[in-house]
């Protein structure tokens, strides 16, 4: 619902999916978002914007202690 799908209009992109790596902090916040697979600068920016709007994650734990961990995810755009 947060994604701006209109960014695909007029673009001929076969697989409109941006792959991102982000860090989930000890308190569940998202930081250090990096694009691992880019398809278009506008779509990359939109994927990052949407990731910043995600709710807090449940942090990973190591030996029962919350720890900062990397997480890889994809944002797929659909032309509506």
């Amino acid at each position: 619902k947060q994604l701006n799908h209109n960014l695909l209009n007029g673009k001929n992109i076969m697989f409109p999916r941006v792959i991102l790596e982000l860090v989930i902090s000890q308190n569940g916040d998202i930081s250090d978002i990096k694009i691992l697979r880019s398809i278009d600068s506008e779509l990359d920016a939109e994927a990052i914007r949407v990731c910043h709007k995600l709710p807090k994650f449940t942090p990973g734990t190591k030996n029962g202690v919350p720890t900062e961990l990397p997480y890889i995810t994809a944002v797929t755009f659909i032309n509506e």
Side-chain angles (χ1 to χ4, degrees), residues 3 11 13 18-19 24 33 36-38 52 62 68:
L3 196 60
K11 295 181 182 178
I13 300 171
V18 177
I19 308 295
I24 300 170
I33 300 172
L36 298 180
R37 191 176 84 190
S38 172
H52 281 296
K62 185 174 184 178
E68 188 174 274

Side-chain angles (χ1 to χ4, degrees), residues 27-44:
N27 65 0
D29 290 332
I30 297 168
S31 64
D32 299 330
I33 300 172
K34 297 177 194 167
I35 302 291
L36 298 180
R37 191 176 84 190
S38 172
I39 53 173
D40 177 87
S41 61
E42 284 183 305
L43 297 175
D44 296 346

Side-chain angles (χ1 to χ4, degrees), residues 58-74:
T58 301
T61 58
K62 185 174 184 178
N63 298 324
V65 178
T67 186
E68 188 174 274
L69 291 173
Y71 182 77
I72 295 176
T73 190

